[in-house]
Amino acid sequence: MKLDSRLMAIANLVRKDKVFADIGTDHAYLPVYLVEKGIINKAIAADLRIGPLENAKDAVVSYGFTEQIQLRLSDGLDNFKENEVEEIAVAGMGGLLISQFIERTNWIKNEDVHLILQPMTHVEELRKTLFDNGFVIDEEVVAEDDDKLYIILSVYYYNDATAYTELDLIVGKLPQNEDNLSKKYLSRIYEKFNKKLVALKNAEKECSELEKLVGELKQWQQ
Ligand SMILES: C[S@@+](CC[C@H](N)C(=O)[O-])C[C@H]1O[C@@H](n2cnc3c(N)ncnc32)[C@H](O)[C@@H]1O
């Protein structure tokens, strides 16, 4: 199984020998790869819909991993029991949907559970949900496929609300990273907010808050 850079970056964060859940698995690429590489030996590939689960079944059967990888219909983590899995990936979905899964799944508030989240949108809102619910982001990674950048959050429950600023929600842990993709991602954030600022200024609208924020983001301009 060959993974693209985005899924490979997620796979690289999975802890060895844990029970793994892939939420919104579609073709079960992640669990198949992880079992094939011997990183995990037991996984649950879950999806909301039958069609993607059929795709997952085809992959699991063709790789001969029916003993190791179970298939499950589940809306988010709703159809999972407490202590069933310790390593959970949620990838390729919107950040608001991922936030909903987090808010309504109490059993993931456990220090032994590791979440690996790859939101396609609304990463700021997802960070806010995590912080407000007692989770900490221990690492953020940027991956690139076809000139599109993806962000991946590695998250644990910490049982404490993290204090954060607006800037923290926007840039997350990325300023700690030394790699070029993180720098490129930060530079794109700067460009996005600067564009908004220019538009507001051209329309002669109030923009002092945004101006301050863009001033802080400017350090990552490339
Ligand atoms: C774009 S695919 C992502 C597949 C894979 N995780 C990846 O990142 O390449 C999104 C998948 O999430 C599933 N999905 C959407 N809403 C879901 C929900 N509420 N619970 C579980 N799976 C969901 C879809 O059926 C689809 O298979």
Side-chain angles (χ1 to χ4, degrees):
M1 173 67 71
K2 201 166 158 22
L3 299 182
D4 60 20
S5 307
R6 176 182 62 91
L7 289 177
M8 184 59 89
I10 296 169
N12 286 340
L13 289 168
V14 175
R15 293 175 301 173
K16 207 169 165 353
D17 296 328
K18 302 284 179 188
V19 184
F20 175 72
D22 187 24
I23 308 302
T25 194
D26 201 356
H27 291 84
Y29 293 142
L30 264 179
V32 166
Y33 173 86
L34 291 166
V35 171
E36 193 184 29
K37 293 288 173 200
I39 296 164
I40 55 160
N41 188 41
K42 193 165 179 233
I44 302 173
D47 208 285
L48 178 66
R49 298 181 294 125
I50 291 280
L53 272 192
E54 290 292 336
N55 298 335
K57 188 176 173 191
D58 289 346
V60 169
V61 169
S62 75
Y63 277 83
F65 292 156
T66 50
E67 289 287 305
Q68 294 93 334
I69 304 175
Q70 221 186 85
L71 301 168
R72 184 169 304 178
L73 263 183
S74 180
D75 184 353
L77 287 146
D78 293 357
N79 215 5
F80 283 74
K81 290 198 247 18
E82 188 162 6
N83 298 326
E84 207 179 5
V85 291
E86 306 150 282
E87 202 69 12
I88 301 169
V90 191
M93 278 178 251
L96 298 180
L97 183 61
I98 300 175
S99 294
Q100 288 171 16
F101 299 162
I102 286 164
E103 279 179 328
R104 69 175 191 242
T105 313
N106 246 321
W107 59 261
I108 59 170
K109 291 187 168 181
N110 176 331
E111 286 162 24
D112 296 329
V113 171
H114 181 209
L115 305 173
I116 305 166
L117 310 175
Q118 186 265 303
M120 300 298 285
T121 57
H122 296 96
V123 63
E124 294 159 31
E125 289 82 352
L126 177 58
R127 288 193 186 102
K128 181 172 182 345
T129 299
L130 291 166
F131 294 151
D132 287 347
N133 284 279
F135 292 88
V136 285
I137 302 171
D138 75 315
E139 190 182 350
E140 298 196 17
V141 175
V142 179
E144 183 175 36
D145 280 315
D146 299 327
D147 202 37
K148 202 165 168 5
L149 298 178
Y150 300 92
I151 189 146
I152 299 142
L153 314 183
S154 167
V155 174
Y156 290 89
Y157 184 61
Y158 187 63
N159 193 18
D160 202 4
T162 304
Y164 54 84
T165 62
E166 190 187 0
L167 189 66
D168 294 329
L169 295 181
I170 293 169
V171 299
K173 290 259 170 183
L174 292 178
Q176 296 182 4
N177 297 355
E178 288 295 327
D179 65 296
N180 286 337
L181 285 182
S182 296
K183 290 181 180 153
K184 192 166 164 183
Y185 191 101
L186 285 168
S187 174
R188 286 195 187 173
I189 294 176
Y190 163 74
E191 283 163 21
K192 185 179 98 180
F193 281 91
N194 193 42
K195 220 169 167 178
K196 276 190 202 168
L197 179 63
V198 170
L200 281 185
K201 278 188 171 169
N202 286 342
E204 296 182 1
K205 297 227 169 97
E206 209 298 302
C207 58
S208 54
E209 287 286 310
L210 185 60
E211 193 155 26
K212 185 167 166 278
L213 182 65
V214 169
E216 288 176 297
L217 291 169
K218 196 170 167 52
Q219 60 186 301
W220 295 297
Q221 180 185 21
Q222 283 189 336

